[in-house]
Amino acid sequence: MELVVKDTVIDFEDNYLNLNNFINKFNLNKYFIVTDSNVYKIYHNEISKWFKDSKVIVIDAGEENKNIDTVLYIINNLLKEGITRGDTIIAVGGGVVSDICGFVASILYRGIKHIMIPTTLLSMVDATIGGKCGVDHAERKNIIGSFYEPKGIYITPKFLETLPKEELESGLGEVVKYAFLDNNFKLLEEDNLINIIKESVLIKKYYVEADFKDTGLRMYLNFGHTFGHAIELKKGILHGQAVLEGIKMIFDLEADLGLDISREKALYEALLKKFDLAVKGYNYKDYIEDIFNDKKNFNGILNIVFIKDFKPYLYKTTKGELYDKIRNK
Ligand SMILES: NC(=O)c1ccc[n+]([C@@H]2O[C@H](COP(=O)([O-])OP(=O)(O)OC[C@H]3O[C@@H](n4cnc5c(N)ncnc54)[C@H](O)[C@@H]3O)[C@@H](O)[C@H]2O)c1
C-alpha cells in the first residue's frame, strides 16, 4: 500500500521484496547508504544485496552520536566518495540515523535527495514521518536541525524481528499516544502490525500536513511528552516508554484538576493490556519543576497537551497557578 504524506511517498510492505522496485521508482542517479553499527552488523549481507555497488557509510549507533561531529563525518565521507548535487542518500536505521541523514541531506549542496528505510518501530511510526530532522548539541536535543522531507520511505515490519524487545515497546509508546490524537478506537481494534503502523502514520499525516513547520496544531503530537521528557532525562528510560509514563501523569494531573477523563483512562489501560506494556507510575508532582524548566516554557507559561473527550487541546498555565490548583490533592 502506498500513502503520500505531504511530498513523501511511503510504501508499506510485509517484507523486503519490493525494496528495489520502490527505489527504482525515483529514477535516482547515484546513491550512498548510511546506517549505524548495530544495524550494519545484522543486515550487512542484505544491504550489499539491495544496494550492490553503493558505498555504505556506517556511523556508531546510539543517541550520543546524534551530533554535529557525525554530520561532518558523513559529509566528509560522501565528498571523498564523489557525491554530487544530483545524488541521493539512503538512510537505513532507526530515528538516530534518519534524523542525522535528513539533516545532512538538507544542508549538503543546499539540499540533496534522500530516502529513508526505517528499521525501528519508533522510526516507522514517528521519526521518519514529517520532515523534522537534526542533531543534539550543547546538551539540548534536536537543537540544530531543519524541516526537510525525504522523497520516499519504505516501511516493513520485517526489520522488527531483530529489534530488542525494549526498543519495540518504546515504539509502541508512541502508538499509544496516537490513539488519543484521533477520535477513534481503531488502534485498539487492529491486530495486524503493519496496519497499526499505517494507522499511526495516517494520524501523524494529518498533523504534519496541517502544520508542517510546527507552529500550532502539530504541538498536539507532544501529548505525553511534557512529563515524558523529564522522566526520560531523569530516569534514563527509552523515549516511547517515557511518553507512556508521561500520558499517565497527564491523566493524573487532569483528574486532580477535576476533569472527568475516565473514558480516556479506560482506553489507555486497554491499550497497555493489548500491547502488553507496563508503566511504573511516577508522581507528576515530583516533576513540575522540571517541566517548567523545559524549552517549551514561554515567559513562564507552559502549554501542556491535555485530552478531553478524546480530543487534544492546550492547557496554558504558570507554575504558580498550577501549584495553587493542586495544593490539596
Ligand atoms: N524527527 C522526528 O520527527 C522524530 C520523532 C521521534 C523521534 N525522533 C528521534 O528518533 C531517535 C530515536 O529513534 P529510535 O528509537 O529508532 O532509536 P535508534 O535509532 O537509536 O535505534 C534504537 C536502537 O536499535 C538499534 N536498531 C535499529 N534497528 C534495528 C533492528 N532492526 N534490529 C536490531 N537493532 C536495531 C539501533 O542501532 C539502536 O541501538 C531520537 O533521536 C529521537 O529524537 C525524531
Side-chain angles (χ1 to χ4, degrees):
M1 184 228 177
E2 200 176 275
L3 180 74
V4 176
V5 174
K6 210 169 167 283
D7 296 322
T8 305
V9 177
I10 307 178
D11 208 359
F12 298 87
E13 298 283 347
D14 290 326
N15 51 46
Y16 319 121
L17 293 178
N18 281 328
L19 180 57
N20 280 107
N21 287 341
F22 180 72
I23 304 282
N24 289 339
K25 278 205 282 210
F26 298 93
N27 286 323
L28 303 179
N29 188 17
K30 218 167 151 191
Y31 42 83
F32 298 80
I33 316 304
V34 180
T35 188
D36 79 20
S37 45
N38 292 340
V39 175
Y40 193 64
K41 205 189 277 171
I42 303 172
Y43 292 101
H44 59 276
N45 286 333
E46 284 84 354
I47 288 175
S48 52
K49 202 170 78 198
W50 297 328
F51 312 109
K52 279 187 189 65
D53 301 317
S54 297
K55 172 76 188 165
V56 182
I57 297 167
V58 182
I59 60 171
D60 290 337
E63 181 75 27
E64 64 276 21
N65 298 302
K66 199 176 108 173
N67 56 39
I68 203 73
D69 294 337
T70 307
V71 168
L72 295 177
Y73 172 82
I74 295 171
I75 290 176
N76 286 337
N77 277 281
L78 290 170
L79 292 174
K80 203 162 74 193
E81 296 299 326
I83 192 165
T84 67
R85 250 181 102 173
D87 297 337
T88 302
I89 300 173
I90 300 183
V92 185
V96 166
V97 172
S98 62
D99 270 12
I100 301 174
C101 286
F103 184 58
V104 168
S106 77
I107 56 173
L108 187 58
Y109 294 114
R110 296 200 178 83
I112 62 169
K113 290 192 278 285
H114 69 303
I115 284 181
M116 309 271 203
I117 304 177
T119 62
T120 63
L121 182 58
L122 192 116
S123 59
M124 293 175 195
V125 298
D126 196 358
T128 57
I129 315 296
K132 270 195 197 178
C133 52
V135 293
D136 308 334
H137 186 65
E139 293 179 4
R140 297 182 72 176
K141 258 187 80 104
N142 305 320
I143 198 73
I144 302 175
S146 49
F147 291 91
Y148 193 70
E149 288 179 280
K151 291 286 168 213
I153 307 173
Y154 186 91
I155 296 182
T156 172
K158 189 86 185 141
F159 282 109
L160 305 181
E161 290 173 9
T162 59
L163 194 67
K165 188 167 176 278
E166 67 274 14
E167 295 290 351
L168 191 72
E169 287 170 352
S170 176
L172 286 169
E174 291 287 356
V175 171
V176 168
K177 173 198 81 180
Y178 284 127
F180 293 96
L181 297 183
D182 196 358
N183 188 5
N184 65 46
F185 281 69
K186 263 193 200 157
L187 282 164
L188 183 64
E189 288 153 10
E190 188 55 69
D191 282 327
N192 184 328
L193 187 55
I194 191 133
N195 289 339
I196 289 170
I197 296 171
K198 238 181 272 174
E199 188 57 33
S200 302
V201 172
L202 268 171
I203 295 169
K204 184 155 183 186
K205 170 183 161 80
Y206 168 75
Y207 289 95
V208 166
E209 291 180 345
D211 176 26
F212 183 63
K213 287 280 173 83
D214 199 5
T215 56
L217 219 68
R218 198 167 169 170
M219 282 183 210
Y220 292 152
L221 291 169
N222 286 330
F223 176 53
H225 286 63
T226 308
F227 288 112
H229 274 145
I231 295 287
E232 188 177 353
L233 277 175
K234 282 218 157 150
K235 300 287 169 190
I237 60 176
L238 292 177
H239 179 76
Q241 181 66 37
V243 169
L244 214 52
E245 297 282 358
I247 294 174
K248 181 168 187 313
M249 292 159 91
I250 288 292
F251 286 152
D252 291 345
L253 169 60
E254 289 193 61
D256 281 355
L257 293 172
L259 298 166
D260 175 12
I261 35 96
S262 50
R263 290 181 309 145
E264 288 81 358
K265 267 181 117 165
L267 174 60
Y268 178 74
E269 296 296 337
L271 286 161
L272 291 189
K273 191 161 173 232
K274 176 191 174 76
F275 294 126
D276 196 16
L277 298 169
V279 283
K280 282 214 162 60
Y282 297 96
N283 188 340
Y284 75 83
K285 289 180 195 144
D286 297 338
Y287 294 88
I288 290 180
E289 295 298 322
D290 300 282
I291 65 173
F292 279 91
N293 285 333
D294 194 84
K295 62 179 187 282
K296 291 181 186 73
N297 165 6
F298 298 110
N299 297 329
I301 300 170
L302 191 63
N303 289 319
I304 309 178
V305 184
F306 273 15
I307 301 285
K308 180 83 181 81
D309 298 327
F310 295 104
K311 291 222 168 18
Y313 69 98
L314 292 184
Y315 177 78
K316 293 173 193 290
T317 183
T318 62
K319 190 162 67 177
E321 269 167 22
L322 191 62
Y323 273 126
D324 271 354
K325 286 189 176 153
I326 59 162
R327 183 165 299 135
N328 297 318
K329 301 291 172 185

